[in-house]
Amino acid sequence: MTAIQQTVDGLRSLRLTAMAEAYQRQLENPEMRSFSFDERLALLVENELAQRTSRKLKRLVASAKMPEMATLEEVEFGTARGLDKALVMSLGQCDFIRRNLNVIIVGPTGVGKSYVACALGTEACRQRLVVSFRNVNDLLEEISSAEADGSTSRLKLALSKPDLLILDDLGVGTISEHAAQILLSVIDRRMRKSSLIITSQWPTEAWHGFFPNPTIADAILDRVVHASHKIAMGGESMRKKQAKKRLGK
């Protein structure tokens, strides 16, 4: 076995796979001979770090279970949509998560609330923050199932741990007394160490009526609404707009 192969095998055994591959590419590139040892080593380390960052991002995005791969670069900003670009891009820096603040996005169905929420979620993943996406209606079913099989504590822990929890489409589906208590427990845990993004077709003034118990409603809204950045979206349904494009209208 040659010294080069020993080096490659050694890098692989240390799980420095990207560095091993970059080392082999350097050997095949005559132009690299003009580089110093320190320069070549720096390039190898840079390649390994880049590959690890990329893999970490993919794992975080996959574990977040967001319904679409959304990015702030692809968000459409326009007067009709009611999106303040400066605010949205500022939120993309994710300081609101580090400060344990929330984001509320409201507007009619189809205007892209979920996309903006997922785009912010993607930015959080890029900054190595743990994100979890839940459609509220699906979450209510999860809570009901957890109550039936005795896994409520595990579910509350799963909802409490992520740095950012996205609750999509609040107001669709009936919230039971038990589900409201679970949500209050989770939000109470999260308010001191993490953040929420909540999307809804309804303005926050209507949220109180989603909950069967006014006292629990007051407690939840007091913890969420007053510590939130608010985005009110409008304009034409993006789904309708995209359908028109496909039909050539």
Side-chain angles (χ1 to χ4, degrees):
M1 183 183 294
T2 65
I4 290 175
Q5 190 59 51
Q6 284 182 325
T7 300
V8 171
D9 290 346
L11 289 171
R12 292 186 184 279
S13 68
L14 292 170
R15 298 184 179 180
L16 298 172
T17 306
M19 186 179 286
E21 293 172 353
Y23 175 57
Q24 289 179 308
R25 289 196 298 272
Q26 283 191 4
L27 295 174
E28 295 166 1
N29 184 356
E31 294 181 2
M32 295 304 301
R33 294 171 187 168
S34 63
F35 286 68
S36 69
F37 172 80
D38 287 337
E39 289 171 331
R40 292 180 64 176
L41 179 60
L43 289 172
L44 294 178
V45 173
E46 181 181 331
N47 189 268
E48 181 67 33
L49 288 173
Q51 289 294 322
R52 290 193 178 200
T53 299
S54 177
R55 290 195 297 268
K56 176 70 171 178
L57 174 60
K58 288 179 180 178
R59 287 196 299 271
L60 286 170
V61 170
S63 67
K65 297 182 179 179
M66 290 180 285
E68 52 189 334
M69 184 58 187
T71 64
L72 288 183
E73 292 85 353
E74 295 181 357
V75 171
E76 290 187 25
F77 294 96
T79 305
R81 299 196 73 196
L83 277 175
D84 182 335
K85 184 174 182 178
L87 172 60
V88 174
M89 299 308 289
S90 175
L91 292 173
Q93 296 176 17
C94 298
D95 286 339
F96 77 95
I97 300 176
R98 300 180 186 93
R99 296 170 58 197
N100 310 137
L101 297 174
N102 309 307
V103 175
I104 292 173
I105 307 174
V106 298
T109 183
V111 295
K113 301 183 298 296
S114 300
Y115 190 93
V116 173
C118 288
L120 292 174
T122 299
E123 291 303 314
C125 289
R126 286 175 175 172
Q127 298 192 33
R128 300 191 178 188
L129 297 170
V130 178
V131 179
S132 181
F133 179 99
R134 292 292 205 288
N135 174 275
V136 173
N137 205 31
D138 293 339
L139 176 58
L140 295 176
E141 292 182 9
E142 276 190 80
I143 292 173
S144 180
S145 297
E147 182 183 17
D149 64 21
S151 60
T152 298
S153 296
R154 193 180 323 131
L155 177 60
K156 286 199 291 185
L157 181 62
L159 295 171
S160 301
K161 288 178 68 175
D163 299 301
L164 175 63
L165 176 63
I166 302 173
L167 298 178
D168 188 46
D169 224 358
L170 178 66
V172 176
T174 303
I175 301 176
S176 67
E177 180 85 19
H178 174 72
Q181 291 174 347
I182 297 299
L183 289 174
L184 174 58
S185 176
V186 168
I187 290 170
D188 190 56
R189 291 185 189 185
R190 295 186 57 81
M191 66 178 292
R192 300 176 185 85
K193 61 184 182 64
S194 50
S195 298
L196 291 165
I197 294 179
I198 301 177
T199 76
S200 179
Q201 298 177 36
W202 304 89
T204 54
E205 293 80 9
W207 290 11
H208 198 278
F210 297 161
F211 301 93
N213 186 317
T215 301
I216 292 179
D218 287 339
I220 289 175
L221 297 183
D222 182 66
R223 286 162 172 75
V224 174
V225 175
H226 302 304
S228 295
H229 296 280
K230 298 175 182 66
I231 299 173
M233 296 182 63
E236 183 181 13
S237 166
M238 297 301 290
R239 285 189 284 270
K240 182 178 178 181
K241 186 176 180 181
Q242 291 163 2
K244 284 182 179 179
K245 285 183 179 179
R246 291 195 297 271
L247 293 170
K249 294 183 178 180

